[in-house]
Amino acid sequence: MSEDLSSFLKLCSEVASASAFFSDGESRFQKISERGKIRDKYRYLSSFPREALLAAGSADVTDKIKSLKEEHSYFPEKDFSPSFIRDSESDPFALAAQSLPYRLVIPDSNLLSLDLSEPLSRFVILMNHSSPVTVTVNTQAPASVLFILSPGSSLKVLAGFTNSWSASFVSMRALVGDNAHFSLETAQAGSGDLTIDAMAYLTGAGSSADISSVNATAQGNFSTFVKIHHLADNTSSNQRLYSVAGREGHENFRGEIYAAKGTAEVKAHQIHKSLLLDESASANANPFLEIYTDSVECSHGSSTGFSDDDALYYLRARGISAEDARSLLIGAFVADGFSTFSNPGYFSKSFLETAGSILGQKILISEEP
Amino acid sequence: MNPLLQIQSLTAGPDEATILHELNLTIHPGEVHVIMGPNGAGKSTLSAVITGREDYPVRGGRVYFKGEDITELPMEERARRGIFLTHQSPLAIPGVNNLQFLRFAVNSHRKARGEDEMKPGEFLKKAREYMALLGLPEEFSRRSLNDGFSGGEKKRNEMLQMLMLQPDLVILDEIDSGLDVDGIATISGIIKNYHNENRALLLITHYQKIFETIRPDFVHIFAKGKIIKTGRADLAALVDAGGFEQFLGEKE
């Protein structure tokens, strides 16, 4: 990890750890002078190295810095260090919210729905809630979201993308503070090209992240890039990704576990399974481990293959047609993928309809009669 | 009486290999046949070919069931006509609910007979009755097919499927393997009660323990893909006493 990225993550951790609630920060920000607002925003943005801003899915922020510099050339400062943020007049939460493209307030219901229908939507969501929050994300357009979780908070993100994708890239990243928990559950079914890029930075001690995905793809490329950075002690993570590909659908998976030097009691597990329905489909899986500590419990596994012939035989030997047997086995695979989702019902209906349609294959989810 | 199963000069085997060589076997309703033989003799291949496993192609001969030539029939059609194999090691299929799978199977059989689907309530009532008979707890209705089942539970689950599907020919491929003495007694008691003058059993086994409950009409010694000797129940005792070696070299 580069020094720049390290300092960025440290900064984000400090932001996430700030004691003030978002609303307090907002009111404090409004009280300072116009010139102060601009100066603080400039300082705030300048404190982020470009690499870090790109990593956070906020590339256009660098453009904002440039425009601020051009617009307010009387600012002589260059290359601010992160410590400048602490010298600002306003609250770091408010600065983040004011400086980055969109800001959102979590409603009292602790349920938030994001409709990222605009091209290149970018959101930064600051979590400073003691009770668990659920955010649902729907998009047909390229989008990126950065979640910053303050200590003790718990965030569950449900993201579903179906039908023909016009979105080409969806990025979801999380910075997770002390004892905070981030959970991302995604289900995608469609044709065309789509990349889901999910990263979690476990910056706080005791923090954790679970990333689960089920996808079905045909006539296109579906890519999932997942990386979980273990940057503090007692952090844990689970990656669980299931994919069904058919009719010239191609799946790419790259999953990484990174455990930083000097961290202790790290637990990280990764499972990837890909089911190919016909010879025209393919999968390319790249599981990676980057472990720089000895105090780690880590596992990873990846499998790719066609339906199990022995299982087909077992079902057909009881009188079930080859077509229904195949549908049951695909359904079993999908159900296994959804089995760790907190609310599989949120996805399953639209997922099964779309997946069945694009794959030209009925999918039977088996439930107790 | 017309045969239930008739195998004529059957030559078959998995992929490129030929395991069964011009095998002949006839089973009538009500009969109990036992196949015994050393490991690798082709006993399990025989059950795979009778049930119609496609990766065990037939290279010669015919198989008739209830007078119909089923040699080219897909395996699900054979099952619907009344052929049932209890697997030596029943496969676990996570994600496929145990009872919904069975309901699917039951309704596939009914549909093939031109009958309406069994109503869910009726199905559950019947399945629960048999589960109680087999000592399978209620939770088995919620679990995935054979997933996490013990060896004995898997065999009892096979019995549950047999009772629900009511086949005419039951092929029991080492039904006694992996079972303790009590398990064998339970399973063999269920098979004995199921068997009647219209149904036939084909047991593939290494041991005689099960004969204490199910008395065989014929015992066939199987070696190198064919039956080399046929006799009554006392033939099994000879196997126990002197092994299979004594029969090798004899002609069918």
Side-chain angles (χ1 to χ4, degrees), chain A residues 40-110:
Chain A
D40 278 8
K41 275 205 257 183
Y42 174 59
R43 283 174 165 168
Y44 178 78
L45 293 170
S46 297
S47 65
F48 288 75
R50 181 176 169 76
E51 179 197 354
L53 291 168
L54 287 168
S58 300
D60 65 339
V61 173
T62 53
D63 297 334
K64 276 182 174 264
I65 295 174
K66 193 179 169 195
S67 68
L68 278 167
K69 277 183 177 171
E70 286 169 358
E71 193 179 343
H72 307 285
S73 55
Y74 49 83
F75 284 132
E77 301 100 322
K78 287 180 182 174
D79 302 324
F80 285 102
S81 73
S83 62
F84 274 93
I85 193 170
R86 287 192 288 274
D87 301 330
S88 300
E89 292 179 46
S90 50
D91 188 277
F93 272 92
L95 281 171
Q98 289 286 338
S99 305
L100 296 168
Y102 291 86
R103 68 192 168 109
L104 289 162
V105 179
I106 306 285
D108 292 339
S109 63
N110 281 354

Side-chain angles (χ1 to χ4, degrees), chain A residues 308-322 324 328-329 331-333 335 364-369, chain B residues 51 53-54 75-76 79-80 84-85 87 91 93-97 100-101 104-105 108-109 141-142 146 158 161:
Chain A
D308 181 351
D309 283 344
D310 288 334
L312 274 172
Y313 169 60
Y314 189 94
L315 299 177
R316 291 179 66 198
R318 295 294 181 255
I320 296 172
S321 70
D324 282 346
L328 272 171
L329 291 178
F333 180 85
L364 292 170
I365 295 285
S366 174
E367 291 166 344
E368 186 183 357
Chain B
T51 52
R53 190 161 174 154
E54 282 143 4
M75 65 176 86
E76 57 267 34
R80 291 169 190 169
F84 184 93
L85 168 69
H87 298 267
L91 193 70
I93 308 182
V96 172
N97 175 268
Q100 201 192 36
F101 147 72
F104 244 92
S108 296
H109 284 240
S141 62
R142 291 185 287 276
N146 294 324
E158 296 281 286
Q161 294 167 17

